[in-house]
Amino acid sequence: MHTIDLAYVGRGLHEELVAYIADQQGYYADEDVHVALHDGCSWDVERLRQGATIGLGRALLSRLVDGIPWVALHVDTHRPLFWFLARPGPTSLADLAGRRLAVHAPRTPPGCFARIVLRQAGLDPDRDIHTVVRPPGDYGMDLRRLHEGSIDAAFVGSTMAPEAIAAEYGWRVLAWVGDHFRIPTVGLAVDPTRVHPDDPAVQAVVRAHRRALQVIHDEPDTTVRYIRTFLGRHTADEARAHHETFIAPFFTTDGQADLAVGATAIIAVAAELGVPATVTAAEFYRTTAGRTDERKPEAGPVRCGPLPGGGGASPARPT
C-alpha cells in the first residue's frame, strides 16, 4: 500500500469536501493508498511542502512570493467559497466604505482574494475600509461580533451556509467571491523537488478525488448527507440549497484546470501582492494525468509517510 501526507490549509467544505467524500466512499482504499490527512492551517511552508496540499491558493502565493516550484495536479473548483456577510445597512460592496470589515490578512489567499474583489468595487482596502484582521477559523466569533454590532461586515468561508445565516439573523450577503473573481483554488498540489507528481501515491489520490467529484455531480443525496457533517447548524434543506447553489454547478467534473481562468488569476494575484507573475498557468496547473518533466528528488525515495508531529490517522473530518 502506498502512503501520502495530505494537508488542508483552510477549514470547511471548500477544502475538505472532496477528500472527505473520497475517504468515506472508500476510494483511497480502492486505489491502495493510505492518506494521512493533516490540519496544515498553521504550518509553515517548509513543513507543508513535505507532502501534498489541498490549498492551491496558498501554493500559488508561495510560488510567487517564495519561489517554491509548486505544481497543481487536480482542481476542485475555480470559484472561491468566500462571502461578504453584512449587518443591515450596506446593500453592496461599495457601501462598505467607512465601515468595519473582519477579513483575513492581505498576504493570505482569502485576504488577497477579498482585496481583489473590493478593488473591483472601487474600494481601496487600506484606506476606504476599517479592516479587522483575523486568522482563518470557523468564523463563529465573526457571527458574534456581527450580532453585537462591533463589526459591520465579515468575510467568511465555507464553515457555514452564508445565505441561511443571513436569513436567520436578518443580515445580507453582499457578494460571493466566486461571482467576481475566478481562480483554481483547491485540489491537489505538490512541490516536485520533494514529492514527484508521478509518484504512485500522488496519482492514486488524484484518481480518488476525480471519483469524488463524480459523486458531487451524480449523487446529490449522498453529497448533501456528507455536507451536513460540515454544516451542523443547518437543516437538510439548507444544506441541499447550498449544494445546489455553490457546489454542484461549480465543482469540476474531472479535476481539470481552465488555463485561461488560471492565467488571469495569476496576473491579478501577483499584482495584488506586488510581485512579478513569474509562473504561467500552463506551468502551474498541470492537471492532465501522465508523466511530467520535473526531476525526482536527488536523495533517496519520495517520502510520503506521516510527517513528524503530524499524526498518521486515516483521513477523517476533524471534530
Short mmCIF file of all heavy atoms in Angstrom, two decimals, residues 189-234:
data_model
loop_
_atom_site.label_atom_id
_atom_site.label_comp_id
_atom_site.label_asym_id
_atom_site.label_seq_id
_atom_site.Cartn_x
_atom_site.Cartn_y
_atom_site.Cartn_z
N ALA A 189 -1.81 19.78 -4.88
CA ALA A 189 -0.55 20.34 -5.37
C ALA A 189 0.61 19.73 -4.61
O ALA A 189 0.49 19.33 -3.44
CB ALA A 189 -0.54 21.86 -5.20
N VAL A 190 1.76 19.65 -5.29
CA VAL A 190 2.98 19.16 -4.66
C VAL A 190 4.14 20.04 -5.08
O VAL A 190 4.10 20.71 -6.12
CB VAL A 190 3.29 17.69 -5.05
CG1 VAL A 190 2.20 16.76 -4.56
CG2 VAL A 190 3.50 17.55 -6.56
N ASP A 191 5.18 20.03 -4.26
CA ASP A 191 6.46 20.62 -4.63
C ASP A 191 7.28 19.48 -5.25
O ASP A 191 7.70 18.56 -4.54
CB ASP A 191 7.16 21.18 -3.40
CG ASP A 191 8.60 21.59 -3.67
OD1 ASP A 191 9.07 21.49 -4.82
OD2 ASP A 191 9.29 22.00 -2.70
N PRO A 192 7.51 19.49 -6.55
CA PRO A 192 8.15 18.35 -7.21
C PRO A 192 9.59 18.12 -6.81
O PRO A 192 10.15 17.07 -7.13
CB PRO A 192 8.03 18.68 -8.70
CG PRO A 192 7.87 20.16 -8.75
CD PRO A 192 7.11 20.53 -7.50
N THR A 193 10.21 19.06 -6.10
CA THR A 193 11.56 18.80 -5.58
C THR A 193 11.51 17.96 -4.31
O THR A 193 12.55 17.48 -3.86
CB THR A 193 12.31 20.11 -5.29
OG1 THR A 193 11.68 20.80 -4.21
CG2 THR A 193 12.33 21.01 -6.52
N ARG A 194 10.32 17.79 -3.76
CA ARG A 194 10.15 16.98 -2.55
C ARG A 194 9.28 15.75 -2.80
O ARG A 194 9.55 14.68 -2.26
CB ARG A 194 9.54 17.82 -1.43
CG ARG A 194 10.32 19.09 -1.09
CD ARG A 194 11.72 18.79 -0.58
NE ARG A 194 12.50 19.99 -0.37
CZ ARG A 194 12.51 20.68 0.78
NH1 ARG A 194 11.75 20.29 1.78
NH2 ARG A 194 13.25 21.76 0.88
N VAL A 195 8.22 15.91 -3.56
CA VAL A 195 7.30 14.81 -3.87
C VAL A 195 7.04 14.84 -5.37
O VAL A 195 6.51 15.82 -5.89
CB VAL A 195 5.96 14.95 -3.10
CG1 VAL A 195 5.00 13.83 -3.49
CG2 VAL A 195 6.20 14.96 -1.59
N HIS A 196 7.40 13.78 -6.06
CA HIS A 196 7.27 13.79 -7.52
C HIS A 196 5.81 13.67 -7.94
O HIS A 196 5.06 12.87 -7.39
CB HIS A 196 8.08 12.64 -8.13
CG HIS A 196 8.32 12.83 -9.59
ND1 HIS A 196 7.43 12.40 -10.54
CD2 HIS A 196 9.34 13.44 -10.26
CE1 HIS A 196 7.89 12.72 -11.74
NE2 HIS A 196 9.05 13.34 -11.60
N PRO A 197 5.38 14.48 -8.91
CA PRO A 197 3.98 14.42 -9.33
C PRO A 197 3.53 13.06 -9.82
O PRO A 197 2.34 12.74 -9.74
CB PRO A 197 3.93 15.45 -10.47
CG PRO A 197 5.03 16.41 -10.16
CD PRO A 197 6.13 15.58 -9.56
N ASP A 198 4.45 12.25 -10.35
CA ASP A 198 4.08 10.92 -10.85
C ASP A 198 4.27 9.82 -9.82
O ASP A 198 4.14 8.64 -10.17
CB ASP A 198 4.89 10.59 -12.10
CG ASP A 198 4.45 11.40 -13.31
OD1 ASP A 198 3.26 11.75 -13.37
OD2 ASP A 198 5.30 11.71 -14.16
N ASP A 199 4.57 10.20 -8.58
CA ASP A 199 4.66 9.18 -7.54
C ASP A 199 3.33 8.41 -7.49
O ASP A 199 2.26 9.01 -7.57
CB ASP A 199 4.94 9.85 -6.19
CG ASP A 199 5.09 8.81 -5.09
OD1 ASP A 199 6.21 8.29 -4.92
OD2 ASP A 199 4.08 8.52 -4.43
N PRO A 200 3.37 7.10 -7.35
CA PRO A 200 2.12 6.31 -7.35
C PRO A 200 1.11 6.76 -6.31
O PRO A 200 -0.11 6.74 -6.56
CB PRO A 200 2.61 4.88 -7.08
CG PRO A 200 4.01 4.86 -7.60
CD PRO A 200 4.56 6.22 -7.32
N ALA A 201 1.58 7.21 -5.14
CA ALA A 201 0.64 7.66 -4.11
C ALA A 201 -0.06 8.93 -4.55
O ALA A 201 -1.27 9.11 -4.31
CB ALA A 201 1.38 7.89 -2.80
N VAL A 202 0.67 9.85 -5.18
CA VAL A 202 0.08 11.09 -5.65
C VAL A 202 -0.98 10.82 -6.71
O VAL A 202 -2.10 11.33 -6.65
CB VAL A 202 1.16 12.03 -6.21
CG1 VAL A 202 0.55 13.27 -6.84
CG2 VAL A 202 2.15 12.44 -5.10
N GLN A 203 -0.63 10.00 -7.69
CA GLN A 203 -1.57 9.70 -8.76
C GLN A 203 -2.79 8.93 -8.24
O GLN A 203 -3.91 9.09 -8.76
CB GLN A 203 -0.86 8.94 -9.87
CG GLN A 203 0.13 9.79 -10.65
CD GLN A 203 -0.52 11.00 -11.30
OE1 GLN A 203 -1.61 10.91 -11.86
NE2 GLN A 203 0.14 12.15 -11.19
N ALA A 204 -2.60 8.10 -7.21
CA ALA A 204 -3.73 7.39 -6.61
C ALA A 204 -4.72 8.37 -5.99
O ALA A 204 -5.94 8.22 -6.12
CB ALA A 204 -3.24 6.39 -5.57
N VAL A 205 -4.20 9.40 -5.31
CA VAL A 205 -5.07 10.40 -4.71
C VAL A 205 -5.80 11.19 -5.80
O VAL A 205 -6.99 11.49 -5.68
CB VAL A 205 -4.27 11.34 -3.79
CG1 VAL A 205 -5.14 12.50 -3.31
CG2 VAL A 205 -3.73 10.57 -2.59
N VAL A 206 -5.09 11.54 -6.87
CA VAL A 206 -5.74 12.25 -7.97
C VAL A 206 -6.92 11.44 -8.51
O VAL A 206 -8.02 11.96 -8.72
CB VAL A 206 -4.72 12.55 -9.09
CG1 VAL A 206 -5.44 13.03 -10.36
CG2 VAL A 206 -3.71 13.60 -8.64
N ARG A 207 -6.70 10.14 -8.73
CA ARG A 207 -7.79 9.30 -9.25
C ARG A 207 -8.95 9.23 -8.27
O ARG A 207 -10.13 9.30 -8.65
CB ARG A 207 -7.27 7.91 -9.57
CG ARG A 207 -6.32 7.86 -10.78
CD ARG A 207 -6.05 6.43 -11.20
NE ARG A 207 -5.37 5.65 -10.17
CZ ARG A 207 -4.05 5.57 -10.05
NH1 ARG A 207 -3.25 6.24 -10.88
NH2 ARG A 207 -3.51 4.83 -9.10
N ALA A 208 -8.64 9.10 -6.98
CA ALA A 208 -9.69 9.02 -5.96
C ALA A 208 -10.50 10.31 -5.91
O ALA A 208 -11.73 10.29 -5.77
CB ALA A 208 -9.08 8.72 -4.59
N HIS A 209 -9.83 11.44 -6.04
CA HIS A 209 -10.52 12.72 -5.97
C HIS A 209 -11.37 12.96 -7.21
O HIS A 209 -12.43 13.60 -7.13
CB HIS A 209 -9.51 13.86 -5.77
CG HIS A 209 -8.98 13.91 -4.37
ND1 HIS A 209 -8.28 14.99 -3.88
CD2 HIS A 209 -9.04 13.02 -3.35
CE1 HIS A 209 -7.93 14.76 -2.61
NE2 HIS A 209 -8.38 13.56 -2.29
N ARG A 210 -10.93 12.46 -8.35
CA ARG A 210 -11.77 12.57 -9.54
C ARG A 210 -13.05 11.76 -9.38
O ARG A 210 -14.13 12.18 -9.82
CB ARG A 210 -10.98 12.13 -10.78
CG ARG A 210 -9.94 13.17 -11.20
CD ARG A 210 -9.13 12.73 -12.39
NE ARG A 210 -8.18 13.79 -12.76
CZ ARG A 210 -7.16 13.62 -13.60
NH1 ARG A 210 -6.96 12.45 -14.16
NH2 ARG A 210 -6.35 14.63 -13.87
N ARG A 211 -12.95 10.62 -8.74
CA ARG A 211 -14.15 9.84 -8.47
C ARG A 211 -15.07 10.57 -7.50
O ARG A 211 -16.29 10.55 -7.64
CB ARG A 211 -13.77 8.47 -7.92
CG ARG A 211 -13.09 7.55 -8.92
CD ARG A 211 -12.75 6.21 -8.30
NE ARG A 211 -13.96 5.44 -7.98
CZ ARG A 211 -13.94 4.29 -7.31
NH1 ARG A 211 -12.78 3.80 -6.86
NH2 ARG A 211 -15.06 3.65 -7.07
N ALA A 212 -14.47 11.24 -6.52
CA ALA A 212 -15.28 12.00 -5.56
C ALA A 212 -16.03 13.13 -6.24
O ALA A 212 -17.18 13.44 -5.88
CB ALA A 212 -14.38 12.55 -4.45
N LEU A 213 -15.41 13.77 -7.22
CA LEU A 213 -16.09 14.82 -7.96
C LEU A 213 -17.32 14.28 -8.68
O LEU A 213 -18.35 14.96 -8.78
CB LEU A 213 -15.14 15.46 -8.98
CG LEU A 213 -14.05 16.37 -8.42
CD1 LEU A 213 -13.07 16.76 -9.52
CD2 LEU A 213 -14.64 17.62 -7.77
N GLN A 214 -17.24 13.06 -9.16
CA GLN A 214 -18.40 12.45 -9.82
C GLN A 214 -19.56 12.26 -8.85
O GLN A 214 -20.72 12.41 -9.21
CB GLN A 214 -18.01 11.12 -10.47
CG GLN A 214 -17.09 11.27 -11.68
CD GLN A 214 -17.71 12.13 -12.78
OE1 GLN A 214 -18.88 11.96 -13.13
NE2 GLN A 214 -16.94 13.07 -13.30
N VAL A 215 -19.25 11.94 -7.60
CA VAL A 215 -20.30 11.81 -6.59
C VAL A 215 -21.02 13.14 -6.41
O VAL A 215 -22.26 13.19 -6.33
CB VAL A 215 -19.70 11.33 -5.25
CG1 VAL A 215 -20.76 11.36 -4.15
CG2 VAL A 215 -19.13 9.92 -5.39
N ILE A 216 -20.27 14.23 -6.36
CA ILE A 216 -20.87 15.55 -6.18
C ILE A 216 -21.89 15.83 -7.28
O ILE A 216 -22.95 16.42 -7.02
CB ILE A 216 -19.77 16.63 -6.16
CG1 ILE A 216 -18.97 16.54 -4.85
CG2 ILE A 216 -20.36 18.03 -6.33
CD1 ILE A 216 -17.78 17.46 -4.78
N HIS A 217 -21.60 15.39 -8.49
CA HIS A 217 -22.48 15.69 -9.61
C HIS A 217 -23.56 14.64 -9.84
O HIS A 217 -24.66 14.98 -10.28
CB HIS A 217 -21.65 15.87 -10.89
CG HIS A 217 -20.75 17.06 -10.85
ND1 HIS A 217 -21.20 18.35 -11.02
CD2 HIS A 217 -19.41 17.16 -10.60
CE1 HIS A 217 -20.19 19.19 -10.91
NE2 HIS A 217 -19.09 18.49 -10.66
N ASP A 218 -23.25 13.39 -9.54
CA ASP A 218 -24.17 12.30 -9.88
C ASP A 218 -25.00 11.79 -8.71
O ASP A 218 -26.02 11.13 -8.92
CB ASP A 218 -23.39 11.12 -10.48
CG ASP A 218 -22.66 11.49 -11.75
OD1 ASP A 218 -23.05 12.49 -12.39
OD2 ASP A 218 -21.69 10.78 -12.11
N GLU A 219 -24.58 12.09 -7.49
CA GLU A 219 -25.27 11.57 -6.31
C GLU A 219 -25.55 12.70 -5.32
O GLU A 219 -24.91 12.80 -4.28
CB GLU A 219 -24.44 10.47 -5.65
CG GLU A 219 -24.10 9.30 -6.57
CD GLU A 219 -23.27 8.24 -5.88
OE1 GLU A 219 -23.53 7.97 -4.68
OE2 GLU A 219 -22.37 7.68 -6.53
N PRO A 220 -26.51 13.56 -5.64
CA PRO A 220 -26.77 14.71 -4.77
C PRO A 220 -27.19 14.33 -3.36
O PRO A 220 -26.80 15.01 -2.40
CB PRO A 220 -27.87 15.48 -5.50
CG PRO A 220 -28.47 14.49 -6.45
CD PRO A 220 -27.37 13.57 -6.84
N ASP A 221 -27.99 13.29 -3.20
CA ASP A 221 -28.42 12.90 -1.85
C ASP A 221 -27.23 12.48 -1.00
O ASP A 221 -27.14 12.84 0.18
CB ASP A 221 -29.44 11.76 -1.92
CG ASP A 221 -30.77 12.20 -2.50
OD1 ASP A 221 -31.03 13.42 -2.53
OD2 ASP A 221 -31.54 11.33 -2.94
N THR A 222 -26.32 11.70 -1.59
CA THR A 222 -25.11 11.29 -0.87
C THR A 222 -24.27 12.50 -0.52
O THR A 222 -23.77 12.63 0.61
CB THR A 222 -24.29 10.32 -1.74
OG1 THR A 222 -25.07 9.16 -2.01
CG2 THR A 222 -23.01 9.90 -1.02
N THR A 223 -24.10 13.41 -1.47
CA THR A 223 -23.28 14.59 -1.23
C THR A 223 -23.87 15.47 -0.13
O THR A 223 -23.15 15.96 0.75
CB THR A 223 -23.12 15.40 -2.52
OG1 THR A 223 -22.59 14.56 -3.55
CG2 THR A 223 -22.17 16.57 -2.31
N VAL A 224 -25.17 15.68 -0.17
CA VAL A 224 -25.82 16.51 0.85
C VAL A 224 -25.66 15.87 2.23
O VAL A 224 -25.44 16.56 3.23
CB VAL A 224 -27.30 16.74 0.50
CG1 VAL A 224 -28.05 17.36 1.68
CG2 VAL A 224 -27.42 17.63 -0.72
N ARG A 225 -25.73 14.56 2.29
CA ARG A 225 -25.52 13.88 3.57
C ARG A 225 -24.12 14.16 4.10
O ARG A 225 -23.94 14.41 5.30
CB ARG A 225 -25.74 12.37 3.39
CG ARG A 225 -25.45 11.54 4.63
CD ARG A 225 -26.10 10.17 4.52
NE ARG A 225 -25.75 9.49 3.29
CZ ARG A 225 -24.65 8.76 3.12
NH1 ARG A 225 -23.78 8.62 4.12
NH2 ARG A 225 -24.40 8.15 1.97
N TYR A 226 -23.14 14.15 3.23
CA TYR A 226 -21.78 14.46 3.66
C TYR A 226 -21.64 15.94 4.01
O TYR A 226 -20.97 16.30 4.99
CB TYR A 226 -20.79 14.10 2.56
CG TYR A 226 -20.63 12.62 2.34
CD1 TYR A 226 -20.44 12.10 1.06
CD2 TYR A 226 -20.66 11.72 3.40
CE1 TYR A 226 -20.28 10.74 0.84
CE2 TYR A 226 -20.51 10.36 3.19
CZ TYR A 226 -20.33 9.87 1.92
OH TYR A 226 -20.18 8.53 1.71
N ILE A 227 -22.28 16.81 3.25
CA ILE A 227 -22.21 18.25 3.52
C ILE A 227 -22.75 18.56 4.91
O ILE A 227 -22.23 19.43 5.62
CB ILE A 227 -22.98 19.03 2.44
CG1 ILE A 227 -22.17 19.07 1.14
CG2 ILE A 227 -23.31 20.45 2.89
CD1 ILE A 227 -22.88 19.72 -0.03
N ARG A 228 -23.77 17.84 5.33
CA ARG A 228 -24.36 18.12 6.63
C ARG A 228 -23.39 17.81 7.78
O ARG A 228 -23.56 18.35 8.87
CB ARG A 228 -25.65 17.31 6.81
CG ARG A 228 -26.78 17.79 5.90
CD ARG A 228 -28.12 17.30 6.40
NE ARG A 228 -28.52 17.96 7.64
CZ ARG A 228 -29.53 17.56 8.40
NH1 ARG A 228 -30.24 16.49 8.05
NH2 ARG A 228 -29.86 18.22 9.49
N THR A 229 -22.39 16.98 7.55
CA THR A 229 -21.40 16.75 8.61
C THR A 229 -20.52 17.98 8.82
O THR A 229 -19.93 18.15 9.88
CB THR A 229 -20.51 15.54 8.29
OG1 THR A 229 -19.68 15.83 7.16
CG2 THR A 229 -21.34 14.31 8.01
N PHE A 230 -20.45 18.86 7.82
CA PHE A 230 -19.71 20.12 7.93
C PHE A 230 -20.62 21.25 8.42
O PHE A 230 -20.15 22.15 9.11
CB PHE A 230 -19.12 20.50 6.58
CG PHE A 230 -18.03 19.60 6.09
CD1 PHE A 230 -18.32 18.45 5.37
CD2 PHE A 230 -16.69 19.89 6.34
CE1 PHE A 230 -17.32 17.62 4.91
CE2 PHE A 230 -15.68 19.07 5.89
CZ PHE A 230 -16.00 17.92 5.17
N LEU A 231 -21.87 21.23 7.99
CA LEU A 231 -22.79 22.32 8.30
C LEU A 231 -23.76 21.86 9.38
O LEU A 231 -24.97 21.73 9.17
CB LEU A 231 -23.55 22.74 7.04
CG LEU A 231 -22.70 23.20 5.85
CD1 LEU A 231 -23.58 23.61 4.69
CD2 LEU A 231 -21.74 24.32 6.25
N GLY A 232 -23.23 21.61 10.57
CA GLY A 232 -24.02 21.03 11.64
C GLY A 232 -25.16 21.90 12.14
O GLY A 232 -26.13 21.39 12.69
N ARG A 233 -25.06 23.21 11.95
CA ARG A 233 -26.12 24.10 12.46
C ARG A 233 -27.24 24.28 11.44
O ARG A 233 -28.22 24.97 11.72
CB ARG A 233 -25.54 25.45 12.84
CG ARG A 233 -25.00 26.27 11.68
CD ARG A 233 -24.51 27.64 12.14
NE ARG A 233 -25.63 28.48 12.58
CZ ARG A 233 -25.50 29.54 13.37
NH1 ARG A 233 -24.29 29.86 13.81
NH2 ARG A 233 -26.54 30.26 13.72
N HIS A 234 -27.10 23.67 10.27
CA HIS A 234 -28.07 23.90 9.20
C HIS A 234 -28.97 22.69 8.98
O HIS A 234 -28.62 21.55 9.24
CB HIS A 234 -27.34 24.23 7.90
CG HIS A 234 -26.58 25.52 7.96
ND1 HIS A 234 -27.20 26.74 8.10
CD2 HIS A 234 -25.25 25.77 7.93
CE1 HIS A 234 -26.28 27.70 8.12
NE2 HIS A 234 -25.09 27.13 8.03
#
